[in-house]
Amino acid sequence: MNSSRKDALFFLLFLLLVGGIVYGENFYLEEMKTLKGEIRTLRTRSMRLEQQAREQLKQIDVYKKAIARLEQYQLGIPENEVDFYAWVQQELTKNGVRSNVVKPANAPPAGRSGVQIDFEGPYYEFVRTLADWRNLKVAVRVASVNLNAVDGENAKGVAIIQSVLKKK
């Protein structure tokens, strides 16, 4: 081979090498741009997920605190209807409200016991009795109250109180 052919061959090999390097550089630059975009997307997604996780941890903390407060507030369940009637009557008597008739309520929902009380006494004392029933350490529900004025301070009416009884 003569020297001009050798030079041409080396020049051609050099051009191929430079062209390959330029092509490889462009290929890898595009690949790097794509990967950097994916990294940015993943970082953004990661920050969102971390924020969601922090918010969920705050919600879990709120739920735990609420559950702890609920666990402190334990309601008892009456053993039987006699206990239930006694607790209801005790609050009336304590507040000076007279119960004229105490009888089982008409068809309470299944699993509940109900009592109908015909009462008479000072209006504000009956309102206090409602509050006292609410504060009993037993599950009590005031299903209905019908209240009529007798005179300036006194009232009479009918209240239906319900509770859940313990299963036997």
Side-chain angles (χ1 to χ4, degrees), residues 37-118:
E38 288 180 22
I39 288 171
R40 263 193 309 275
T41 303
L42 290 173
R43 281 186 182 150
T44 303
R45 192 178 301 162
S46 171
M47 287 191 291
R48 282 190 201 133
L49 290 173
E50 286 175 4
Q51 179 65 28
Q52 288 175 350
R54 281 192 296 271
E55 289 172 5
Q56 287 178 346
L57 286 173
K58 287 179 185 177
Q59 287 178 342
I60 289 171
D61 190 40
V62 168
Y63 290 141
K64 283 181 180 178
K65 288 178 182 176
I67 289 171
R69 280 190 297 203
L70 285 174
E71 286 175 349
Q72 291 174 353
Y73 186 71
Q74 293 290 325
L75 284 180
I77 296 177
E79 293 287 333
N80 53 45
E81 289 182 352
V82 174
D83 287 344
F84 173 55
Y85 291 1
W87 284 328
V88 169
Q89 180 64 42
Q90 177 182 353
E91 296 304 321
L92 285 166
T93 305
K94 180 176 85 174
N95 290 313
V97 178
R98 186 175 66 244
S99 56
N100 298 329
V101 177
V102 176
K103 63 182 180 179
N106 296 337
R112 291 189 186 155
S113 175
V115 61
Q116 178 178 327
I117 305 162
D118 294 355

